[in-house]
Amino acid sequence: MPSGCIKLEGIDVVPAKTDGNADVYSSSNCFILVKPQWMSDEEASHCPLCQQKFSSLRRKHHCRQCGRVYCSKCCKVNVPLPQLGLGSSERVCDGCLPVVELVTKSQSSQTPDQAESIKGLLEHMQQDSSSMRKVVELGGLQATIYLARNSSVEIRKKCAEALHQMSMHEPLHVILIDCGIIKALCGILMSASETDEQLLSYLIGSLMIYAKAPNLKTRVVQDGALTPVLALCGMKVSEAIALIAVRTLNLLMEDVGSHNALIENDKNALPRLLALTLSEDEQMQEVSLKTLGRLSMGSDWHRHRIVQEDFSSGKCLMKSLQRCPKNMQVLCNAACLVANLATSEQTQSSLSDCLDAMCSLLTKYMDNADLLCHVMRGLANFSSFHQNVYRLEQHLTNVINVGVKSSSEIVQHHSVRFILHLLERSPERTISSLLGNGGSDFLGVIARTPGMVPAMQTTLRQYVTELSAPS
């Protein structure tokens, strides 16, 4: 297999490469492709297009674009090849000619030529797999990304559609990112009208494709996707477009390395994301809360920033916990987020209302195991801070009846965590409650939890010894 070869729809293809910087979108100059290696005359016995054998009358000619050998009938047209850095018109074979002419026109200074170029390239991409391969081999990818810099609205629309078409082919992803496709998509998105639904769908749909690739998420953020995706989340667009935008954002946040870019974003990213949790659309609520939940998995500073912005934005998280949605995943995501935020000491006072809301959820949805797991985890996290103990003592009976006696081991374990925190900080009241109800269940969970009793024995041996001399 030749160097740089990829499989495109099962066929070996060698994509065109730029000579120098691969990023044709950011380059200040027109792109130049690496010249092909010429096939030797000795290797060619017949013309690959017409299948006629070469002879003293049927001479051999090299196509300057692909480097293969053809007869004069199949390689007779001379075409300017600025994309190869050639100043004069050169001989090009009939197989390369249609795409080569379009790539050549992409570097024209005339807008009509550039419009014809992107229109033709898009038609080739949509035609069949053979035409798409020619586009890839002859520099059509680079030409499309290069044309995305154009200020013409119509050219940009065609580019967006072509970029989406190219993005549908997974083997091209790394090549396209190196060529600057993310920057091209973001550049068009930043200037797109919020009323142009078709254009927005091509752009955000393409960005979502790259955001789904685990090995490309960081590159997508590095190339500037965060700001336009966030801006799209806040635009007055259709619910379908906004939802794709938030889902794309959620995918980008799967990469922990991307969190800081959003948290420290100077474009009001966090307030905008928090505002989406109050959307009337429950899918939007679900995804925006899930995205915030991912952000809450980072550092204490990140959690502090989320709580800080939530407080300034009107306590969106408390309102999310107080909803009665048809989609229970909304509540699950909200409870998961608050449970994560409850691990930081500096957030406790600002989360006071959320603590009360979580206590209400404990008895309201006791039959929902997934929600109960997050609620009980959150209450256990809240109970580790002394300022919350008095308020949480009032809910100990509910924790015993709902949590300790739950059929879910995870819920049981978080309930025991809750009780142990209260035992540490308010032993008399906690013991009194346990003796009245739930003591045996509490001890039962401890006894059944692997390693817990031995850990208690180990702790006790720090204060007493197994052997002792006579007194």
Side-chain angles (χ1 to χ4, degrees):
M1 184 180 289
S3 175
C5 186
I6 64 171
K7 287 280 187 183
L8 195 62
E9 298 185 358
I11 305 296
D12 290 343
V13 176
V14 180
K17 292 184 178 180
T18 53
D19 188 0
N21 184 14
D23 186 352
V24 299
Y25 185 80
S26 302
S27 175
S28 57
N29 301 313
C30 295
F31 64 90
I32 295 179
L33 303 175
V34 174
K35 294 181 179 68
Q37 185 175 358
W38 279 21
M39 181 181 187
S40 67
D41 286 348
E42 291 73 20
E43 293 180 79
S45 60
H46 62 277
C47 176
L49 288 181
C50 67
Q51 303 302 316
Q52 297 294 315
K53 286 187 177 181
F54 292 119
S55 65
S56 57
L57 295 177
R58 186 171 288 108
R59 304 286 299 277
K60 299 177 180 179
H61 299 275
H62 280 90
C63 170
R64 272 33 173 201
Q65 179 62 56
C66 67
R68 298 185 184 94
V69 178
Y70 301 88
C71 68
S72 59
K73 180 182 176 182
C74 297
C75 190
K76 60 183 179 295
V77 179
N78 289 340
V79 179
L81 295 175
Q83 62 268 35
L84 294 181
L86 301 175
S88 59
S89 294
E90 301 286 346
R91 192 183 291 260
V92 174
C93 72
D94 292 348
C96 293
L97 184 61
V99 172
V100 167
E101 288 183 320
L102 295 171
V103 174
T104 295
K105 287 180 179 180
S106 73
Q107 298 201 6
S108 169
S109 60
Q110 302 299 312
T111 299
D113 286 341
Q114 295 176 332
E116 184 179 346
S117 172
I118 188 57
K119 180 177 180 291
L121 288 170
L122 177 58
E123 289 173 353
H124 273 77
M125 293 178 199
Q126 296 172 331
Q127 189 171 336
D128 53 40
S129 57
S130 176
S131 297
M132 182 65 187
R133 290 196 297 272
K134 279 294 183 183
V135 170
V136 173
E137 291 175 331
L138 303 178
L141 306 186
Q142 288 85 350
T144 301
I145 294 173
Y146 177 77
L147 286 169
R149 312 189 311 179
N150 197 289
S151 59
S152 165
V153 173
E154 291 307 313
I155 289 178
R156 285 186 160 217
K157 285 183 179 181
K158 289 292 184 184
C159 284
E161 187 175 357
L163 294 173
H164 184 70
Q165 191 74 30
M166 296 189 300
S167 299
M168 301 296 286
H169 299 275
E170 188 273 337
L172 298 176
H173 285 178
V174 173
I175 298 167
L176 290 168
I177 287 224
D178 288 341
C179 288
I181 190 170
I182 302 300
K183 297 173 185 176
L185 291 166
C186 293
I188 300 173
L189 184 55
M190 290 297 285
S191 62
S193 168
E194 59 186 25
T195 61
D196 196 334
E197 293 281 320
Q198 185 63 70
L199 175 60
L200 294 176
S201 67
Y202 284 137
L203 296 168
I204 193 59
S206 299
L207 287 173
M208 189 175 187
I209 288 172
Y210 294 101
K212 285 181 177 179
N215 60 320
L216 299 178
K217 294 181 192 295
T218 301
R219 286 288 302 276
V220 175
V221 174
Q222 288 175 347
D223 284 354
L226 192 58
T227 297
V229 170
L230 281 166
L232 186 57
C233 292
M235 284 185 185
K236 293 180 180 179
V237 294
S238 69
E239 291 181 353
I241 296 293
L243 189 57
I244 295 173
V246 177
R247 283 178 172 162
T248 302
L249 186 62
N250 177 59
L251 289 167
L252 295 177
M253 291 306 106
E254 288 180 1
D255 176 20
V256 177
S258 304
H259 290 188
N260 205 57
L262 192 152
I263 294 288
E264 302 301 337
N265 186 278
D266 60 357
K267 304 293 184 182
N268 295 317
L270 270 180
R272 187 172 292 163
L273 190 54
L274 283 160
L276 292 174
T277 66
L278 301 180
S279 166
E280 293 182 3
D281 181 78
E282 290 190 358
Q283 288 187 74
M284 181 67 79
Q285 297 169 22
E286 176 189 341
V287 181
S288 56
L289 286 164
K290 185 176 183 179
T291 305
L292 287 163
R294 293 195 189 283
L295 289 171
S296 69
M297 295 288 288
S299 65
D300 273 349
W301 170 245
H302 289 172
R303 287 186 283 276
H304 174 69
R305 288 283 293 114
I306 294 171
V307 174
Q308 187 180 50
E309 290 295 345
D310 176 63
F311 192 82
S312 301
S313 300
K315 299 186 177 181
C316 302
L317 301 185
M318 179 196 69
K319 294 173 183 176
S320 295
L321 291 172
Q322 292 176 337
R323 282 200 181 97
C324 297
K326 294 179 181 179
N327 178 6
M328 288 303 296
Q329 195 59 45
V330 173
L331 273 181
C332 285
N333 289 354
C336 176
L337 168 58
V338 171
N340 291 346
L341 298 176
T343 59
S344 301
E345 184 170 10
Q346 57 186 337
T347 66
Q348 295 305 305
S349 59
S350 299
L351 289 175
S352 177
D353 292 332
C354 288
L355 185 155
D356 293 335
M358 293 281 270
C359 289
S360 298
L361 291 176
L362 181 63
T363 53
K364 190 174 182 179
Y365 296 101
M366 63 179 67
D367 294 327
N368 188 312
D370 291 338
L371 177 57
L372 191 58
C373 178
H374 291 304
V375 169
M376 202 59 250
R377 178 170 63 87
L379 294 181
N381 290 343
F382 276 120
S383 68
S384 65
F385 300 100
H386 65 89
Q387 61 264 48
N388 298 326
V389 169
Y390 176 75
R391 294 165 66 194
L392 290 173
E393 281 178 339
Q394 302 171 47
H395 300 279
L396 179 55
T397 300
N398 289 336
V399 169
I400 293 170
N401 291 332
V402 177
V404 176
K405 297 181 180 181
S406 169
S407 59
S408 166
E409 287 189 356
I410 296 176
V411 174
Q412 290 176 1
H413 292 157
H414 284 307
S415 302
V416 168
R417 286 181 57 223
F418 176 94
I419 294 171
L420 289 175
H421 283 311
L422 294 193
L423 274 172
E424 182 183 4
R425 290 173 171 79
S426 181
E428 293 181 1
R429 292 183 180 178
T430 306
I431 291 170
S432 176
S433 294
L434 287 171
L435 290 175
N437 174 40
S440 59
D441 297 292
F442 171 71
L443 292 173
V445 175
I446 290 176
R448 291 191 300 271
T449 303
M452 196 156 185
V453 171
M456 294 170 69
Q457 291 280 17
T458 300
T459 301
L460 288 171
R461 281 197 292 272
Q462 295 179 14
Y463 300 97
V464 295
T465 59
E466 293 178 335
L467 300 175
S468 176
S471 58

